[in-house]
Amino acid sequence: MDYETAEQKVKLFLAKEGKFFTRERKKILQEVIKTGDHFSADEMLLQMKSDNVDVSRATLYRALAQLVQAGVLSEADFGHGHAHYEVADEEEGNHGHIICKKCNKVVEIRDPELASLFSRLCAREGFEVDSFQLQLFGHCSDCK
Amino acid sequence: MDYETAEQKVKLFLAKEGKFFTRERKKILQEVIKTGDHFSADEMLLQMKSDNVDVSRATLYRALAQLVQAGVLSEADFGHGHAHYEVADEEEGNHGHIICKKCNKVVEIRDPELASLFSRLCAREGFEVDSFQLQLFGHCSDCK
DNA sequence: ATATCTGCAAATTGTTTGCTGACGA
DNA sequence: TCGTCAGCAAACAATTTGCAGATAT
């Protein structure tokens, strides 16, 4: 997702909630979009520090939660004891991850079959699904 | 999984690690097997309290981690801020969950297509997968 | 006998919250 | 102007850990 698209989404969301697009939120959004990868709150703080962008931990956490709500970020748990974020897919459902238990490498899994299989399974249970989290744990080619 | 099977697995695992099958670990295993459902560490402590089984929180956490390693329990994160456990499936891959975002109801999703699709996707990335976690978030028939 | 265990309380980790002066519309 | 915000420090919840005496083999 490019910065412009993201900013539109965020502004729309904030406006709807009666909130402001402050300079801190903008700085955070820029840093977040700049990252092409998964990141934790701490990693983002480090990146910001190295870019001389100064925002408090509390503000970052508050902003990340908003970005998730705004649909700009998605959140995942790789079993490492803290949340991971990544820029959300622009269209349709999100994607899964394969995590190497040895070296912690993370690879994204995208396949149209995923969404279609999931919605079939959910319909069977009478659920209406709007997102999923899929983590596959194993060993990558280097570690097995 | 019945108690006997579980105890075998646990004893094997503990022996391999040079650890003991103590009375606390046995009490915990019994309570865990008794539960037919998902549970958190706190819920298990409550159940044990109501059964007059007395084990400290620290010992429970240590034992749960071993049971996961032994393959008797599996661990999942439903986004509620704490881990959930459930007795692991005896054969082949585990299963997923659909979680209602409104009422927190959790329904299990089992389908042979899951494992086969996942192993296909992983092979494509050169990974060898041994477990997965799948959470589908949405609204159940009562809440939508 | 000896290494592993338990329970306790204290420590850690990741994250959230209350407050006060600063900021955005 | 007036409500929202940022930063700080304190609060929190879930989980982990160090230690000293109890226990398993």
Side-chain angles (χ1 to χ4, degrees):
Chain A
M1 188 178 326
D2 62 13
Y3 180 79
E4 276 311 320
T5 311
E7 188 177 302
Q8 288 321 308
K9 282 198 176 192
V10 171
K11 282 183 167 167
L12 210 72
F13 171 78
L14 290 175
K16 196 162 35 183
E17 302 265 312
K19 296 181 175 166
F20 306 152
F21 189 59
T22 61
R23 52 166 161 284
E24 281 77 11
R25 290 178 185 165
K26 180 165 195 168
K27 288 192 268 180
I28 291 170
L29 181 59
Q30 289 170 331
E31 291 289 320
V32 152
I33 294 295
K34 188 179 147 191
T35 300
D37 204 6
H38 316 104
F39 60 89
S40 64
D42 259 348
E43 287 164 351
M44 180 51 63
L45 277 173
L46 281 193
Q47 174 185 319
M48 296 179 81
K49 179 136 305 185
S50 91
D51 285 357
N52 285 309
V53 172
D54 191 37
V55 167
S56 77
R57 183 177 295 274
T59 298
L60 175 61
Y61 273 107
R62 286 188 272 234
L64 289 175
Q66 287 168 349
L67 293 177
V68 171
Q69 287 185 75
V72 168
L73 287 181
S74 60
E75 198 176 343
D77 181 342
F78 298 161
H80 297 164
H82 54 258
H84 283 252
Y85 301 88
E86 65 190 323
V87 176
D89 294 349
E90 226 164 319
E91 327 261 330
E92 51 80 46
N94 37 356
H95 56 268
H97 297 96
I98 319 183
I99 298 121
C100 176
K101 293 204 278 195
K102 185 132 175 268
C103 69
N104 285 337
K105 189 189 310 172
V106 176
V107 173
E108 299 189 355
I109 291 292
R110 291 171 195 281
D111 195 291
E113 273 198 73
L114 284 178
S116 72
L117 175 56
F118 293 162
S119 55
R120 234 181 309 138
L121 295 176
C122 286
R124 187 201 285 171
E125 304 291 341
F127 271 71
E128 197 169 81
V129 169
D130 45 48
S131 67
F132 67 83
Q133 273 202 36
L134 170 63
Q135 288 91 229
L136 303 161
F137 296 94
H139 295 279
C140 69
S141 46
D142 298 334
C143 293
K144 61 186 170 193
Chain B
M1 189 178 327
D2 62 12
Y3 180 79
E4 276 310 320
T5 312
E7 187 175 305
Q8 287 321 308
K9 282 198 176 193
V10 171
K11 282 182 166 167
L12 211 71
F13 171 79
L14 290 175
K16 198 164 33 187
E17 302 265 312
K19 295 181 174 167
F20 306 152
F21 189 60
T22 62
R23 50 167 161 281
E24 281 77 10
R25 289 176 185 167
K26 180 166 195 166
K27 289 192 268 181
I28 290 170
L29 181 58
Q30 289 170 331
E31 291 288 320
V32 151
I33 294 296
K34 189 180 146 190
T35 299
D37 204 6
H38 316 105
F39 59 90
S40 64
D42 258 347
E43 287 164 349
M44 181 51 65
L45 277 172
L46 281 194
Q47 173 185 320
M48 297 179 79
K49 178 137 304 186
S50 90
D51 285 357
N52 285 309
V53 172
D54 192 35
V55 167
S56 76
R57 184 179 295 273
T59 299
L60 175 61
Y61 273 107
R62 286 186 274 233
L64 290 175
Q66 286 168 349
L67 293 177
V68 170
Q69 286 186 75
V72 168
L73 287 182
S74 59
E75 200 177 342
D77 182 342
F78 297 161
H80 296 165
H82 54 256
H84 282 252
Y85 300 89
E86 65 189 323
V87 177
D89 294 349
E90 226 165 319
E91 326 261 330
E92 52 79 46
N94 37 355
H95 57 268
H97 297 97
I98 319 184
I99 298 120
C100 176
K101 291 206 277 195
K102 183 131 177 270
C103 69
N104 285 337
K105 189 189 307 173
V106 175
V107 173
E108 300 189 354
I109 291 292
R110 291 169 194 282
D111 194 291
E113 271 197 73
L114 284 179
S116 72
L117 174 57
F118 294 161
S119 54
R120 234 180 308 137
L121 295 177
C122 287
R124 186 201 285 173
E125 304 292 340
F127 271 71
E128 197 168 82
V129 169
D130 45 50
S131 67
F132 68 83
Q133 272 201 38
L134 171 62
Q135 288 91 232
L136 303 161
F137 296 94
H139 295 278
C140 70
S141 46
D142 298 335
C143 293
K144 63 186 169 190

